[in-house]
Amino acid sequence: MTAAPRAARIRLLILDVDGVLTDGGLLYGASGEETKRFHVHDGLALVAARKAGLQVAVLSSRASAAVTRRMTELGLSEVHQGVGDKAAALVALCERLGVPASAVAMMGDDLPDLPAMTRVGLALAPANAVAEVKRAAHWVARRRGGDGAVREAVEMLLKARRAWPPR
């Protein structure tokens, strides 16, 4: 089955952070604090997704105050950081939200994302994902992580619902 029919059934979008919402680079300030660069187009798309009734969650292996701040700005409450087992976190999240895995899309870019991505209804990857993730993905963005890949994915999902452009 191609991405289009799967996209219409999606109720929950799960995103990795580093390499998906960011370019994957790790930047440290003079005091050792971690900083991250997020693309404003991704943010607008995530707000539009929520307004269209698509639930959005973040599963990240790393924990960062910058992620907490940005996701709070976007109104996302399902932000799970420091996740060691993304597949287990996916199962728990689906159970708690009452969403079957077949109605979940997940965008990941690297090997720690694969166990969860292989359990969802629609696996997504940014253009700069590693080869193994691209092979497992049902859909690969033209844009790179941190450079509008999430926006592109949200547009695809919302077009399948006839909810793009946002009103």
Coordinates of all heavy atoms in Angstrom, one line a residue, residues 108-150:
G108 N 11.2 9.3 11.7 CA 12.5 9.1 12.3 C 13.6 9.2 11.3 O 13.4 9.1 10.1
D109 N 14.9 9.3 11.7 CA 16.0 9.4 10.8 C 17.1 8.5 11.0 O 18.0 8.3 10.2 CB 16.5 10.8 10.9 CG 17.3 11.1 12.1 OD1 16.7 10.9 13.2 OD2 18.4 11.5 12.1
D110 N 17.1 7.8 12.2 CA 18.3 6.9 12.4 C 17.9 5.6 13.1 O 16.7 5.4 13.4 CB 19.3 7.7 13.3 CG 20.8 7.3 13.1 OD1 21.0 6.3 12.5 OD2 21.7 8.1 13.6
L111 N 18.9 4.8 13.3 CA 18.6 3.4 13.8 C 17.8 3.3 15.0 O 17.0 2.4 15.1 CB 20.0 2.7 13.9 CG 20.8 2.6 12.6 CD1 22.1 1.8 12.9 CD2 20.1 1.9 11.5
P112 N 18.0 4.1 16.0 CA 17.1 4.0 17.2 C 15.6 4.2 16.9 O 14.8 3.7 17.7 CB 17.6 5.1 18.2 CG 19.0 5.3 17.7 CD 19.0 5.2 16.2
D113 N 15.3 4.8 15.8 CA 13.9 5.0 15.4 C 13.2 3.7 14.8 O 12.0 3.6 14.8 CB 13.7 6.2 14.5 CG 14.3 7.4 15.1 OD1 14.0 7.7 16.3 OD2 15.0 8.1 14.4
L114 N 14.0 2.9 14.2 CA 13.5 1.7 13.4 C 12.6 0.8 14.2 O 11.5 0.5 13.6 CB 14.7 0.9 12.8 CG 15.2 1.4 11.5 CD1 16.4 0.6 11.1 CD2 14.2 1.4 10.4
P115 N 12.9 0.4 15.4 CA 12.0 -0.5 16.0 C 10.5 0.0 16.2 O 9.6 -0.7 16.0 CB 12.6 -0.8 17.4 CG 14.1 -0.6 17.2 CD 14.1 0.6 16.2
A116 N 10.4 1.3 16.4 CA 9.1 1.9 16.5 C 8.5 2.1 15.1 O 7.3 1.9 14.9 CB 9.2 3.2 17.3
M117 N 9.3 2.6 14.2 CA 8.8 2.9 12.9 C 8.2 1.6 12.2 O 7.3 1.7 11.4 CB 9.9 3.5 12.0 CG 10.3 4.9 12.4 SD 11.7 5.5 11.4 CE 10.9 5.6 9.8
T118 N 8.8 0.5 12.5 CA 8.3 -0.8 11.8 C 7.0 -1.2 12.4 O 6.4 -2.1 11.9 CB 9.3 -1.9 11.9 OG1 9.6 -2.1 13.3 CG2 10.6 -1.5 11.2
R119 N 6.5 -0.6 13.5 CA 5.2 -1.0 14.1 C 4.1 0.0 13.8 O 3.0 -0.3 14.2 CB 5.4 -1.0 15.6 CG 6.3 -2.1 16.1 CD 6.6 -2.0 17.6 NE 7.1 -3.2 18.2 CZ 8.4 -3.6 18.1 NH1 9.3 -2.8 17.4 NH2 8.8 -4.7 18.7
V120 N 4.3 1.0 13.1 CA 3.3 2.0 12.8 C 2.7 1.8 11.4 O 3.2 1.2 10.6 CB 3.8 3.5 13.0 CG1 4.3 3.7 14.4 CG2 4.9 3.8 12.0
G121 N 1.5 2.5 11.2 CA 0.8 2.4 10.0 C 1.5 3.1 8.8 O 1.3 2.8 7.7
L122 N 2.2 4.2 9.2 CA 2.9 5.0 8.1 C 4.3 5.5 8.6 O 4.3 6.3 9.5 CB 2.0 6.2 7.7 CG 2.5 7.1 6.6 CD1 2.7 6.3 5.3 CD2 1.5 8.2 6.4
A123 N 5.3 4.9 8.1 CA 6.7 5.3 8.5 C 7.2 6.3 7.6 O 7.1 6.2 6.4 CB 7.6 4.0 8.5
L124 N 7.7 7.4 8.2 CA 8.1 8.6 7.4 C 9.6 8.8 7.7 O 10.1 8.6 8.8 CB 7.3 9.8 7.8 CG 5.8 9.7 7.9 CD1 5.2 10.9 8.5 CD2 5.2 9.5 6.5
A125 N 10.3 9.4 6.7 CA 11.7 9.8 6.9 C 12.0 11.1 6.2 O 11.5 11.4 5.2 CB 12.6 8.7 6.4
P126 N 12.9 11.9 6.8 CA 13.4 13.1 6.1 C 14.4 12.6 5.1 O 15.0 11.5 5.1 CB 14.1 13.9 7.2 CG 14.5 12.9 8.3 CD 13.5 11.8 8.2
A127 N 14.8 13.5 4.2 CA 15.7 13.2 3.1 C 17.1 12.8 3.6 O 17.7 12.0 2.9 CB 15.8 14.4 2.1
N128 N 17.5 13.3 4.7 CA 18.8 13.0 5.2 C 18.8 11.8 6.2 O 19.8 11.5 6.9 CB 19.4 14.2 5.9 CG 18.6 14.7 7.1 OD1 17.4 14.8 6.9 ND2 19.2 15.0 8.2
A129 N 17.8 11.0 6.2 CA 17.8 9.8 7.1 C 18.8 8.8 6.6 O 19.2 8.8 5.4 CB 16.4 9.1 7.0
V130 N 19.2 7.9 7.5 CA 20.2 6.9 7.1 C 19.5 5.9 6.2 O 18.2 5.8 6.2 CB 20.8 6.2 8.3 CG1 21.6 7.1 9.2 CG2 19.7 5.4 9.1
A131 N 20.3 5.2 5.4 CA 19.7 4.3 4.4 C 18.8 3.2 4.9 O 17.7 2.9 4.3 CB 20.9 3.6 3.6
E132 N 19.0 2.7 6.1 CA 18.2 1.7 6.7 C 16.8 2.2 7.0 O 15.8 1.5 6.8 CB 18.8 1.1 8.0 CG 20.1 0.3 7.7 CD 21.3 1.2 7.8 OE1 21.2 2.5 7.7 OE2 22.4 0.7 7.8
V133 N 16.8 3.4 7.5 CA 15.5 4.1 7.8 C 14.7 4.4 6.5 O 13.5 4.2 6.4 CB 15.7 5.4 8.6 CG1 14.4 6.2 8.7 CG2 16.2 5.0 10.0
K134 N 15.4 4.9 5.5 CA 14.7 5.2 4.2 C 14.1 3.9 3.6 O 13.0 4.0 3.1 CB 15.7 5.8 3.2 CG 16.1 7.3 3.5 CD 17.0 7.8 2.4 CE 17.4 9.2 2.7 NZ 18.3 9.7 1.6
R135 N 14.8 2.8 3.7 CA 14.3 1.6 3.2 C 13.1 1.1 3.9 O 12.1 0.5 3.3 CB 15.4 0.4 3.2 CG 16.4 0.5 2.1 CD 17.2 -0.8 2.0 NE 18.0 -1.1 3.2 CZ 19.2 -0.6 3.4 NH1 19.8 0.2 2.5 NH2 19.9 -0.9 4.5
A136 N 13.0 1.4 5.2 CA 11.8 1.0 6.0 C 10.7 1.9 5.9 O 9.5 1.6 6.2 CB 12.2 0.9 7.5
A137 N 10.9 3.1 5.4 CA 9.9 4.2 5.3 C 8.9 3.9 4.2 O 9.3 3.5 3.1 CB 10.5 5.5 5.2
H138 N 7.7 4.3 4.4 CA 6.7 4.2 3.4 C 6.7 5.5 2.5 O 6.2 5.5 1.4 CB 5.2 4.1 4.0 CG 5.1 2.9 4.8 ND1 5.0 2.9 6.2 CD2 5.0 1.6 4.5 CE1 4.8 1.7 6.6 NE2 4.8 0.9 5.6
W139 N 7.3 6.6 3.1 CA 7.3 7.9 2.5 C 8.6 8.6 2.9 O 8.9 8.6 4.1 CB 6.1 8.7 2.9 CG 5.9 10.0 2.3 CD1 5.4 10.4 1.1 CD2 6.4 11.3 2.9 NE1 5.4 11.7 0.9 CE2 6.0 12.3 2.0 CE3 7.1 11.6 4.0 CZ2 6.3 13.6 2.2 CZ3 7.3 12.9 4.3 CH2 7.0 13.9 3.4
V140 N 9.3 9.2 2.0 CA 10.5 9.9 2.3 C 10.4 11.4 1.8 O 10.0 11.6 0.6 CB 11.8 9.3 1.7 CG1 13.0 10.1 2.0 CG2 12.0 7.9 2.2
A141 N 10.6 12.3 2.7 CA 10.5 13.7 2.3 C 11.6 14.1 1.3 O 12.6 13.5 1.3 CB 10.6 14.6 3.6
R142 N 11.3 15.2 0.6 CA 12.3 15.8 -0.3 C 13.2 16.7 0.5 O 14.4 16.9 0.2 CB 11.7 16.6 -1.4 CG 10.9 15.7 -2.4 CD 10.3 16.6 -3.5 NE 9.5 17.7 -3.0 CZ 8.2 17.6 -2.7 NH1 7.5 16.4 -2.9 NH2 7.5 18.6 -2.3
R143 N 12.7 17.2 1.7 CA 13.5 18.1 2.5 C 14.2 17.4 3.6 O 13.8 16.3 4.0 CB 12.6 19.2 3.0 CG 11.9 19.9 1.9 CD 11.4 21.2 2.3 NE 12.5 22.1 2.7 CZ 12.7 23.3 2.2 NH1 12.0 23.7 1.3 NH2 13.7 24.0 2.7
R144 N 15.2 18.0 4.1 CA 16.0 17.4 5.2 C 15.4 17.7 6.6 O 14.7 18.7 6.7 CB 17.5 17.9 5.1 CG 18.2 17.6 3.8 CD 19.5 18.3 3.7 NE 20.5 18.0 4.7 CZ 21.2 16.9 4.7 NH1 21.2 16.1 3.8 NH2 22.0 16.7 5.8
G145 N 15.8 16.9 7.6 CA 15.4 17.2 8.9 C 15.9 18.6 9.3 O 17.0 19.0 9.0
G146 N 15.1 19.3 10.0 CA 15.5 20.7 10.5 C 15.3 21.7 9.3 O 15.6 22.9 9.6
D147 N 14.9 21.3 8.2 CA 14.8 22.2 7.0 C 13.5 22.0 6.3 O 13.4 22.1 5.1 CB 16.0 21.9 6.0 CG 16.0 23.0 5.0 OD1 15.7 24.2 5.2 OD2 16.4 22.7 3.8
G148 N 12.4 21.7 7.1 CA 11.1 21.6 6.5 C 10.6 20.3 6.2 O 9.5 20.1 5.6
A149 N 11.3 19.2 6.6 CA 10.8 17.8 6.4 C 9.5 17.6 7.1 O 8.6 16.9 6.6 CB 11.9 16.8 6.8
V150 N 9.4 18.1 8.3 CA 8.2 17.9 9.1 C 7.0 18.6 8.4 O 5.9 18.1 8.3 CB 8.4 18.3 10.6 CG1 7.0 18.3 11.3 CG2 9.4 17.4 11.2

